[in-house]
Amino acid sequence: MEQYEPDRLSPAQVAAMRRSFRNGRAALSRRSLLRASAGGALAVGGLGALSGCGIPAAGQTQGGVSAEDHSAKEKTIDFSNWTEYMDVDDSGKHHPTLDAFTKRSGISVKYTEDINDNVEFFGKIKPQLAAGQDTGRDLIVVTDWLAARLIRFGWVQKLNASNLPHAYANLSAQFRSPDWDPGRAYSYPWQGISTVVAFNKKALNGIEVKSVSDLLDNPKLKGRVGFLSEMRDSMGMTLLDMGKDPEKFTDDDFDAAIARLQKAVDKGQIRRFTGNDYTSDLTKGDLAACVAWAGDIVQLKADSPDVDFIIPDSGYLTSTDNMLIPNKARHKTNAERLMDFYYEPGPAAQLAAYINYVCPVDGVKDELAKIDKSAADNPLILPDKAMAAKSHAFRSLTQKEETAYEEKFAKLTGA
């Protein structure tokens, strides 16, 4: 296991985190486009602590440290997740799938929506994990790059496969073996997040968009193109368009992709780099086409018939939010049982119908069709084999690479 070393964020990384707070994927609630109100305000108080020195080296721990498992005697789970990332009934007070799990298992779930941003949440749990202490959480959901970091530091527990029969059998092939957790020894996906090319048909007015190259090179789209302010999404899609694999690219490949985007910025082709706020521009037609998150497009299409998407022949980028069990968690077996529950087709379909992200569970189509046939037929929720084959992940980065890449991307975007 890689030992923990105190992190000092570079200015570019701090800027990237501020972008995420301000308008990134964390900035809007998961269902805000279908609801009248947006998600809760984000606390940015952790910025100062995260940009300074980390935990002293004396606080290091070795990997995969478990506490005594109290699952047999304590029928409970402490589960931390992102806001608006769980099904809710019409009253807004109950989570039907969690209630079904409790009714079946007798295990109560203390469900807390206390994850607004990966870096902010890392700041919350880092002191306890580095000191070898219980975080007070049995199950957490974080995005793949942070999951990779927690695994490298040895701060999450290896899973007991015997408690995860449905997860093992039903995990979609495209998510089975990321480079940061081969064979899913420490994590299972909660949901997938696809990055695609979206457009407004009315704003295009007959202009054909089939690739990222069309966004960057078609003069008829000058000033009406958007890219995302998240480095991995925009750079991953550009690398794919250039015939490079985001899972294997080199420094030279990254620099070439930066230069390609810089050329488009210099000639005014790209209107701006955005977070979730591209959704209003796309709906209004101020953006004719953009790099976008599929979860947003599923929701926009429901209300805006002019909005649609394409999957470029070169492929698209997929990341994951992942369930992990922190070191010293008191209820490991209970947490594994809950993880496995969400890999049964019924609960997985209920969750997918509500939140509209990429379902990582095979065999849910029939169950989802009973709830929402349009969702079951939507490749942005249930990718077919052809679409799944075009999916690519952005490879894990070292701390040195992440610092260098974020600095270059920040210079490109003017952040």
Side-chain angles (χ1 to χ4, degrees), residues 137-172:
R137 300 167 174 88
D138 300 304
L139 191 62
I140 61 175
V141 176
V142 297
T143 305
D144 42 22
W145 66 265
L146 180 53
R149 179 181 293 184
L150 294 174
I151 292 169
R152 285 201 311 272
F153 290 162
W155 287 355
V156 293
Q157 298 185 50
K158 192 169 185 177
L159 301 173
N160 183 347
S162 66
N163 292 328
L164 295 157
H166 296 98
Y168 181 80
N170 295 335
L171 176 61
S172 297

Side-chain angles (χ1 to χ4, degrees), residues 38-103:
L42 300 180
V44 193
L47 283 169
L50 287 172
S51 60
C53 292
I55 306 302
Q60 295 173 1
T61 65
Q62 298 301 311
V65 180
S66 62
E68 179 183 352
D69 192 349
H70 297 268
S71 293
K73 293 182 179 179
E74 299 177 6
K75 298 294 186 179
T76 187
I77 302 167
D78 285 279
F79 182 7
S80 283
N81 203 349
W82 294 70
T83 57
E84 305 287 352
Y85 217 9
M86 180 67 74
D87 55 307
V88 180
D89 69 2
D90 291 340
S91 73
K93 298 179 181 179
H94 301 284
H95 303 291
T97 55
L98 288 177
D99 292 346
F101 172 78
T102 297
K103 184 177 181 179

